[in-house]
Amino acid sequence: MAKIGRNERCPCGSGKKYKHCCARNPQVEKRASTAEEQLKISLLKAVENNVQAASQKKQMIQELGVFVLLSTTQGNSWLFEVTQSDCVQLARNGEPLPIPIDENPQTIEIEWSHTYKVKDRTMVLTAYNDKTESVLEDCPVKEVSASIKRIRKKIPPSMLSEIHIG
């Protein structure tokens, strides 16, 4: 079940905030969360865990749906998206950066800052704003590439094309 925020509208349809409505009634059965809500909860939780690992300078690679999350021993954290090869940095040198994720009941929108590609066994990033290329020096390219390949293998191409909205 998804946790309903105290200040969100109550799912019973009363129009009141949850904290002033059904939150106080222990007899109200909590509704099951939708698959979209579960992905949002999972993605944000995974991002928090990954940023925390980066602040502790621990390497961690996690696969979640069409995403690969990476934290490095240098304290950097990245979120990679498999369908369009987009990515965004979540932490730099152990310091969290603003998380560019906007969610609503229908979609999760992420403001991507770069695209990525593996070139000569290095992870090459291209910035959206000025098209400059840089190499992600502390990236374990072999492991991240393996994660990307596993995701692409698990999800049919027809489904991958439906996941990403331009």
Side-chain angles (χ1 to χ4, degrees), residues 38-77:
Q38 282 298 322
L39 180 58
K40 288 176 194 174
I41 292 166
S42 298
L43 178 60
L44 290 176
K45 185 67 176 165
V47 165
E48 289 171 12
N49 290 341
N50 198 271
V51 168
Q52 184 177 17
S55 70
Q56 297 169 357
K57 303 203 178 204
K58 293 181 183 176
Q59 181 174 312
M60 183 172 80
I61 299 172
Q62 181 180 3
E63 298 171 22
L64 180 66
V66 295
F67 302 108
V68 175
L69 292 106
L70 166 69
S71 65
T72 69
T73 56
Q74 292 182 358
N76 297 314
S77 173

Side-chain angles (χ1 to χ4, degrees), residues 123-134:
M123 184 66 75
V124 179
L125 306 177
T126 304
Y128 272 118
N129 61 354
D130 60 4
K131 304 296 183 210
T132 57
E133 283 191 356
S134 59

Side-chain angles (χ1 to χ4, degrees), residues 101-161:
I101 298 174
D102 180 31
E103 56 185 330
N104 63 53
Q106 289 80 30
T107 60
I108 301 171
E109 294 181 23
I110 302 171
E111 190 174 327
W112 302 107
S113 59
H114 296 79
T115 60
Y116 66 89
K117 65 182 171 188
V118 176
K119 184 177 178 182
D120 299 325
R121 296 187 181 135
T122 59
M123 184 66 75
V124 179
L125 306 177
T126 304
Y128 272 118
N129 61 354
D130 60 4
K131 304 296 183 210
T132 57
E133 283 191 356
S134 59
V135 174
L136 190 55
E137 297 290 341
D138 60 342
C139 180
V141 178
K142 186 177 178 181
E143 292 87 347
V144 172
S145 293
S147 291
I148 291 168
K149 286 177 185 174
R150 274 192 299 274
I151 291 170
R152 286 191 174 138
K153 195 174 185 179
K154 280 191 266 186
I155 302 173
S158 59
M159 187 179 215
L160 281 174
S161 65

